[in-house]
Amino acid sequence: MKALPGKDLAAAIRARTQAEAAAGPQPRLAVVVATADEASLWYVRSIAKAAVGVGIACDLVDLGPGATSDQIGETLTRLSTDAGVHAVMMQTPLPEGASAQELAGAIDPRKDVDGANPLSLGRLAAGLPAFPPATAAAVMALLDHHEVELEGRHAVVVGRSTVVGKPLAHLLLDRNATVTVCHSRTRDLASVTSTAEVLVAAAGRAGLIGAAHVAPGAVVIDVGTNPTEDGGLTGDVASDEVAAVAGALTPVPGGVGPVTTALLLRHTARAANLP
């Protein structure tokens, strides 16, 4: 089985981003946070650290877990209209009662570097220019980096979130793949996934995809980042048993994750240079 790591690709993307950031005004990313969830806070701190490494300014706007929906919306609107801020991201989870989908509409699509605004998702579905969600874009970048052919092949995406599953399905369709999207109501999941030549697991359930779900020789992309009791991460794919069947598999960690962060910063550099 071939491993499909993302670290080298992420490094190459960061290098291009650094060059682009140095060629014009310093890009500035604002990340709005309203949670006490330590995993989310660790993630945004890692984004800030990575941003500094490529010459991007990053402001962590921490509203605290007690923030109201109105406060979050007003903050997103303020940042979206601030000419000194080129990119805006809203980190989840949000406080109880706050709707991420509704609040994302306050982000200017030109600054929506993680593709959260419904307008961004609509433009993506219509094949119009827009920033796609960074995780969905990372899957496509990994497939391209490892020269996985998509045209005419059957791709199955497990998960229908607006962060990965739905936008990824459109990105795959744009590359002329034949796409099936599975979800929690799919009957006999293995009977569908085992027909895939390219299988993407993005359901957020540790070990959901086992050997019975995978066709021999299939390319398997594991988007899952599920915390383990020892503080580590595990994917949606039972990697040990799937490795015996699949033709290629991304590792967790070290696969989609680092490419996602690198692309978020690349989107930020591009947003800073929009006319």
Side-chain angles (χ1 to χ4, degrees):
M1 186 209 70
K2 178 182 178 182
L4 304 177
K7 291 184 177 180
D8 288 348
L9 172 58
I13 293 170
R14 288 195 299 271
R16 293 196 296 270
T17 300
Q18 186 170 18
E20 190 170 338
Q26 184 183 32
R28 181 172 293 276
L29 167 67
V31 183
V32 177
V33 184
T35 181
D37 180 73
E38 186 53 41
S40 291
L41 295 174
W42 177 90
Y43 176 59
V44 296
R45 288 194 296 266
S46 71
I47 291 174
K49 181 178 179 181
V52 171
V54 296
I56 292 175
C58 183
D59 301 327
L60 300 183
V61 185
D62 191 349
L63 302 178
T68 65
S69 183
D70 286 345
Q71 288 174 323
I72 299 169
E74 289 167 2
T75 301
L76 293 171
T77 299
R78 174 176 59 80
L79 293 169
S80 289
T81 56
D82 185 341
V85 175
H86 304 102
V88 180
M89 173 184 166
M90 178 179 62
Q91 177 62 23
T92 56
L94 297 176
E96 186 176 354
S99 167
Q101 288 183 318
E102 290 182 8
L103 287 169
I107 303 174
D108 182 345
R110 292 166 58 85
K111 299 184 179 186
D112 184 24
V113 290
D114 204 21
N117 189 317
L119 290 175
S120 300
L121 294 169
R123 291 182 64 85
L124 184 70
L128 298 172
F131 290 115
T135 304
V139 172
M140 299 301 294
L142 264 173
L143 290 169
D144 287 342
H145 178 68
H146 291 288
E147 300 181 336
V148 176
E149 179 63 37
L150 293 173
E151 184 165 351
R153 302 185 80 185
H154 184 203
V156 174
V157 180
V158 182
R160 54 179 169 178
S161 74
T162 55
V163 177
V164 188
K166 289 178 180 177
L168 179 57
H170 290 295
L171 292 172
L172 288 165
L173 283 170
D174 286 345
R175 297 291 296 277
N176 297 318
T178 298
V179 183
T180 301
V181 178
C182 297
H183 44 78
S184 59
R185 300 294 188 271
T186 299
R187 296 178 181 176
D188 193 359
L189 181 65
S191 70
V192 181
T193 59
S194 61
T195 67
E197 296 168 275
V198 177
L199 174 60
V200 182
R205 289 179 55 189
L208 173 66
I209 302 300
H213 295 83
V214 179
V219 174
V220 182
I221 307 295
D222 191 352
V223 182
T225 53
N226 308 289
T228 59
E229 291 183 358
D230 60 3
L233 289 176
T234 188
D236 288 359
V237 174
S239 57
D240 288 345
E241 60 178 271
V242 168
V245 180
L249 174 64
T250 56
V252 176
V256 176
V259 182
T260 297
T261 302
L263 281 174
L264 181 68
L265 299 178
R266 186 75 193 280
H267 291 174
T268 299
R270 290 178 174 174
N273 289 304
L274 287 175

